[in-house]
Amino acid sequence: MKQFLSIKDVEKPEGLVQQALDLKANPFGYSKLGKNKTLGLLFFNASLRTRLSTQKAAQNLGMEVMVMNMSTEGWQLEFEDNVIMNGESAEHIKEAAAVISQYCDIIGIRTFSGLADSAEDYSERVLNTFVANAMVPIISLESATLHPLQSLTDWMTIEEQKTVNKPKVVLTWAPHPKALPQAVANSFVQWMQQAPVELVVTHPKGYELAPEFSNGLTIEHDQNKAFEGADFIYAKNWSSYNEYGKILCQNTGWTITEEKMSLTNGGAFMHCLPVRRNMVVSDQVLDNGNSLVIKQAENRTYAAQAVLKSILEG
Ligand code: SN0
């Protein structure tokens, strides 16, 4: 693999899922592969799981890791070409990406959506200008519109936990006090459409994902109906795409409760975390035996390890 920005960079997604499961069974089987190689992790916003699991993944492969919080520790970067840099930005991405490429063999980047301008977010300017100016492979640690490491993990977790060949997987919107990106949802449907699952998406009207992600999806606006017979309930809040970045609904009737889970086929609850308790999902659902959220977080390590391994080998 040459880079990991989305599922489009993965030749055989199901093969990468299998690789992640194999690495979970044998985490140190390739502990010499990354010898004398350095992974740089650059964060333009907060992270807990991605930061720690990707570090751990690199360590399992024998890599060195450097981590930097760009928003608080680095110079403010300029991403525009042909600008007079007489404002706040101290360093151009051209120099920064080239310099970091001297120190690192692979660079991971976490960016975030501004949620103000859909064209700006969906152009993935920060990630793409890094790719254009870096001399080494780039891994997305969540970008403005996608979170492929999370989706690879989610497929892996479903593969590991499923009890039927082709489980019914429901992506459900859930309420949240803040406007959040569509990244996790976009990426989840993109990967699930290639997975051996029956995917159903449920959300209030107005929360349709961007056409490139929603085309061909089975949408059921009645959440209770969507839950019927589900094997996995994947909850996530996202803000509106059409009324870009807006919160259109805060109806806690969409919160995932035990009552709703009882409509499923003994279904398991999934969420990428961090999760707002009793907004997105009730305490009871998170604290009972059918929640997979901690297993998902555990699997983040092996998903990242599979990606790093493929890039080191490729
Ligand atoms: C991020 C998101 O994309 O929705 C990260 C998910 C992996 N989540 C948040 O920003 C939650 C913030 C909050 O205040 O709850």
Side-chain angles (χ1 to χ4, degrees):
M1 196 163 33
K2 300 269 179 281
Q3 60 179 10
F4 186 72
L5 310 182
S6 83
I7 195 169
K8 291 177 186 157
D9 294 312
V10 185
E11 211 177 299
K12 272 183 65 190
E14 69 278 17
L16 196 59
V17 169
Q18 191 53 52
Q19 181 66 253
L21 289 165
D22 292 348
L23 285 165
K24 186 172 184 178
N26 182 21
F28 306 114
Y30 299 87
S31 59
K32 295 203 167 63
L33 184 66
K35 190 174 182 321
N36 297 329
K37 302 277 185 198
T38 300
L39 173 67
L41 299 177
L42 310 180
F43 289 90
F44 288 89
N45 77 300
S47 167
L48 182 124
R49 276 148 294 277
T50 302
R51 176 170 171 158
L52 296 182
S53 65
T54 310
Q55 278 197 55
K56 178 133 171 87
Q59 287 163 4
N60 287 354
L61 293 168
M63 298 184 85
E64 295 292 331
V65 188
M66 300 196 296
V67 185
M68 194 157 165
N69 287 316
M70 298 298 279
S71 43
T72 52
E73 296 164 352
W75 300 108
Q76 187 167 320
L77 294 184
E78 178 59 56
F79 291 91
E80 292 293 343
D81 269 338
N82 303 316
V83 285
I84 300 169
M85 287 173 58
N86 60 358
E88 287 303 311
S89 301
E91 176 154 34
H92 202 279
I93 181 67
K94 285 188 181 178
E95 281 77 43
V99 167
I100 297 163
S101 300
Q102 309 305 306
Y103 309 143
C104 301
D105 300 279
I106 302 175
I107 302 172
I109 299 174
R110 155 70 63 100
T111 65
F112 215 54
S113 52
L115 291 181
D117 175 351
S118 62
E120 164 78 16
D121 284 348
Y122 279 72
S123 76
E124 292 285 10
R125 190 165 61 115
V126 174
L127 192 63
N128 287 331
T129 33
F130 255 102
V131 171
N133 290 287
M135 286 85 116
V136 299
I138 302 285
I139 294 177
S140 163
L141 306 174
E142 187 180 5
S143 65
T145 68
L146 294 172
H147 196 351
L149 278 177
Q150 182 65 50
S151 311
L152 171 60
T153 304
D154 297 333
W155 183 337
M156 174 195 177
T157 307
I158 289 168
E159 199 57 36
E160 180 185 57
Q161 300 293 328
K162 72 183 186 185
T163 53
V164 292
N165 252 342
K166 196 177 178 198
K168 177 175 175 182
V169 175
V170 177
L171 169 66
T172 178
W173 181 92
H176 198 284
K178 274 173 51 183
L180 295 185
Q182 294 106 30
V184 170
N186 286 342
S187 217
F188 186 73
V189 299
Q190 201 176 36
W191 286 72
M192 282 300 113
Q193 280 177 312
Q194 294 201 33
V197 304
E198 179 199 347
L199 177 66
V200 175
V201 180
T202 181
H203 58 69
K205 293 207 169 107
Y207 279 96
E208 295 72 25
L209 296 172
E212 61 181 294
F213 299 104
S214 57
N215 280 344
L217 288 180
T218 304
I219 313 278
E220 170 55 68
H221 287 114
D222 180 340
Q223 191 193 36
N224 288 346
K225 224 162 146 194
F227 274 38
E228 279 169 20
D231 298 293
F232 295 92
I233 297 297
Y234 194 99
K236 182 72 185 82
N237 171 269
W238 63 90
S239 60
S240 172
Y241 174 77
N242 290 321
E243 290 185 54
Y244 196 67
K246 294 259 168 9
I247 297 176
L248 307 178
C249 170
Q250 286 195 311
N251 179 358
T252 48
W254 280 81
T255 300
I256 318 306
T257 58
E258 282 198 304
E259 198 184 350
K260 293 232 173 93
M261 290 303 289
S262 72
L263 299 169
T264 69
N265 178 33
F269 177 81
M270 298 178 74
H271 189 281
C272 62
L273 302 182
V275 73
R276 302 276 190 138
R277 281 176 174 253
N278 305 310
M279 278 296 301
V280 169
V281 56
S282 71
D283 283 336
Q284 291 76 14
V285 172
L286 278 177
D287 296 334
N288 85 11
N290 268 357
S291 167
L292 295 176
V293 298
I294 306 301
K295 283 208 172 70
Q296 285 171 267
E298 178 192 7
N299 286 344
R300 289 292 306 271
T301 299
Y302 307 105
Q305 202 173 330
V307 169
L308 290 172
K309 176 175 177 283
S310 299
I311 290 180
L312 287 170
E313 289 170 344

